Amino acid sequence: MPMFRYRAYGARGEFSEGSIEAASQEAATIALGLQGLTPFQVKPAAENARPWWQRDVFSLRGSIQKDLTGFTREFATLHTAEIPLDDALRIVIEQTTSARTRAVVEGLLADVLNGSTLSDAMQKRSDIFPADYVSVVTAGEIGGHVGDVFEELADLLERRMEIRSRVQSAFVYPVILIVLALSSFAIIIGVLVPGMAPIFAESNRQMPSGLRLILSIHALWPQILVGIGLLVAIVASTSAIALRKRHARLAFDAIKLRTPLIGAFLLQQETARFARTFGTLLKSGVPLLQAAISARTVVNNLYMGTRLEEAIASVREGTSLHRALRAETTLPQVALRMISIGEEAGKLDRMLIRVAVMLEQQMQRSIDRFMTILTPLLTLIIAVLVGGLIMTVMNAILSMNDLVFR
């Protein structure tokens, strides 16, 4: 029988993952349920064994958020216009320009026409529709307001994409600077300096020390590149092997959160994602415990996710949410205070979204301040390096002039 990889939560909310042998994906889900696990991702293990260049997930992952956001916004507009579910899916199929999205929606339509609910059809495609996404859709189907929850989901996904694009845009200029600097180094070291060396050799004069150093780099550049490549490969492979072990990744993620400057930014980012997803789920009618479990899945930092799992377990045992989060997690104090106020006032969903907005604004200000410092600093460093090379070349040129006049 085929093997399936699963990710699930236990009876106390603890995270679990592994492999299970079953006749089908549905049978694997049932078997996990009999073991007391609630799976949110079940997929064939054979997919993981395929080379990375043959995996559908690899080709999909780069733009999956963009496709999913586009589908969600378009479907929300159609459903709000009171167009029947199957007709809305057909319209999406006709209008989309993405072959990938078209294939996914065609599968959803086929399942819906066969009697499945939309959330069940999405759950079968857990590599495309995340657990928190499916939870919101399920709550919308139960409450009879699917159009509203798709509007909430579209806003959530668009906000995530906006933050990601801001971070990427902030690094465009530094990358351009680095590329131009490397190009300048390559021209000076690979073309200009070697063309000057024969003049010194023909006149039996010793070359300046800076010029000899540049020529040595030029002569040994294949070995230098191979050495750097091997070093990077060794470090990357060693890190990848070590981080496959849960305790190693747990320790590494804990260190990242404690790193000055970077740790505070990562904590804000993870907290904002958790709070916005949690608030959206609650606003859509998902029960608190289920919403917390689903929102935890969007947290990428394993250490923070583990602490959140412990807090969720405390909530399951009767502890209030803000007390459990304060006791078990390292969330920012301002976020904990706002969550406490929201829980006591019965407006937890609104307060969580406010927490997310506040932290996202802080993140943007942090990025702006960082780039304000990084850009001139990087420009100065590159100017010093390029200037040093140019000065070396200019000294060599002056030495050549002395040779000519003599």
Side-chain angles (χ1 to χ4, degrees):
M1 291 198 299
M3 294 292 295
F4 293 88
R5 293 282 302 173
Y6 70 85
R7 303 177 72 190
Y9 288 104
R12 295 175 58 84
E14 68 276 9
F15 175 76
S16 176
E17 63 179 335
S19 302
I20 187 171
E21 189 175 11
S24 63
Q25 187 171 342
E26 291 76 10
T29 303
I30 294 173
L32 291 170
L34 294 175
Q35 297 177 17
L37 298 175
T38 302
F40 61 87
Q41 185 181 77
V42 179
K43 59 185 179 182
E47 182 178 351
N48 294 331
R50 294 168 59 191
W52 59 265
W53 61 86
Q54 294 180 2
R55 296 181 193 171
D56 293 336
V57 175
F58 180 84
S59 61
L60 181 68
R61 190 59 57 188
S63 59
I64 185 171
Q65 288 295 325
K66 181 178 178 180
D67 290 346
L68 185 60
T69 303
F71 162 76
T72 305
R73 176 58 69 190
E74 187 172 1
F75 187 80
T77 302
L78 293 171
H79 207 284
T80 303
E82 299 183 354
I83 296 176
L85 175 61
D86 56 338
D87 288 336
L89 291 173
R90 290 190 181 95
I91 293 173
V92 173
I93 293 172
E94 293 173 357
Q95 292 185 350
T96 184
T97 58
S98 170
R100 195 162 45 227
T101 302
R102 186 180 299 109
V104 171
V105 180
E106 286 174 351
L108 293 177
L109 178 60
D111 288 343
V112 168
L113 293 178
N114 287 331
S116 297
T117 63
L118 182 60
S119 59
D120 289 339
M122 289 177 173
Q123 194 168 18
K124 294 178 182 178
R125 297 160 179 83
S126 57
D127 57 329
I128 299 171
F129 299 99
D132 57 319
Y133 190 105
V134 177
S135 297
V136 173
V137 176
T138 302
E141 290 175 337
I142 295 174
H145 48 276
V146 176
D148 293 337
V149 301
F150 268 96
E151 288 284 351
E152 295 289 340
L153 283 170
D155 292 340
L156 172 66
L157 293 175
E158 286 170 354
R159 187 61 179 168
R160 288 181 184 175
M161 287 189 62
E162 180 184 356
I163 294 172
R164 185 180 296 108
S165 64
R166 283 182 178 180
V167 174
Q168 292 172 348
S169 299
F171 286 96
V172 170
Y173 183 66
V175 169
I176 293 175
L177 279 179
I178 293 173
V179 170
L180 291 177
L182 292 176
S183 301
S184 301
F185 293 157
I187 293 172
I188 294 172
I189 296 175
V191 178
L192 185 58
V193 173
M196 299 167 58
I199 298 176
F200 290 92
E202 292 172 358
S203 60
N204 296 320
R205 289 290 301 273
Q206 186 177 9
M207 288 185 294
S209 58
L211 201 63
R212 291 200 306 272
L213 176 61
I214 295 175
L215 286 174
S216 299
I217 295 175
H218 177 267
L220 298 175
W221 71 265
Q223 293 89 330
I224 293 174
L225 288 181
V226 171
I228 293 174
L230 287 175
L231 180 61
V232 171
I234 292 172
V235 172
S237 59
T238 303
S239 301
I241 293 172
L243 292 178
R244 288 177 186 174
K245 299 178 180 179
R246 181 179 174 84
H247 68 276
R249 186 183 166 194
L250 195 66
F252 179 68
D253 284 355
I255 292 172
K256 286 195 297 185
L257 291 177
R258 297 190 185 102
T259 303
L261 300 179
I262 296 176
F265 179 82
L266 291 176
L267 182 61
Q268 289 177 348
Q269 183 183 45
E270 297 287 14
T271 304
R273 286 172 60 86
F274 173 76
R276 182 171 288 278
T277 305
F278 196 3
T280 302
L281 290 166
L282 291 176
K283 190 175 181 180
S284 302
V286 180
L288 186 142
L289 197 59
Q290 182 182 349
I293 293 173
S294 296
R296 178 258 169 268
T297 62
V298 306
V299 176
N300 295 322
N301 188 282
L302 182 60
Y303 176 79
M304 185 173 175
T306 302
R307 305 303 298 177
L308 286 172
E309 289 170 8
E310 294 175 359
I312 293 171
S314 297
V315 172
R316 191 189 299 273
E317 294 172 356
T319 307
S320 61
L321 177 65
H322 70 274
R323 286 193 176 90
L325 291 175
R326 190 177 297 276
E328 302 293 347
T329 69
T330 58
L331 299 185
Q333 289 300 315
V334 62
L336 292 172
R337 284 196 296 271
M338 293 178 68
I339 291 172
S340 174
I341 294 171
E343 190 173 17
E344 292 174 357
K347 299 178 180 179
L348 182 59
D349 54 345
R350 299 179 186 176
M351 196 59 71
L352 283 166
I353 292 177
R354 288 183 184 178
V355 168
V357 171
M358 179 192 67
L359 292 177
E360 287 165 358
Q361 291 174 347
Q362 290 180 2
M363 287 166 51
Q364 185 59 41
R365 287 194 294 269
S366 299
I367 293 173
D368 292 340
R369 285 195 297 267
F370 176 72
M371 296 311 300
T372 301
I373 297 173
L374 177 63
T375 301
L377 180 62
L378 194 59
T379 303
L380 179 62
I381 293 173
I382 291 174
V384 169
L385 294 176
V386 174
L389 284 176
I390 293 176
M391 288 301 297
T392 301
V393 174
M394 290 300 297
N395 288 333
I397 292 174
L398 293 176
S399 299
M400 290 168 57
N401 289 337
D402 291 340
L403 292 177
V404 171
F405 287 114
R406 289 181 183 180

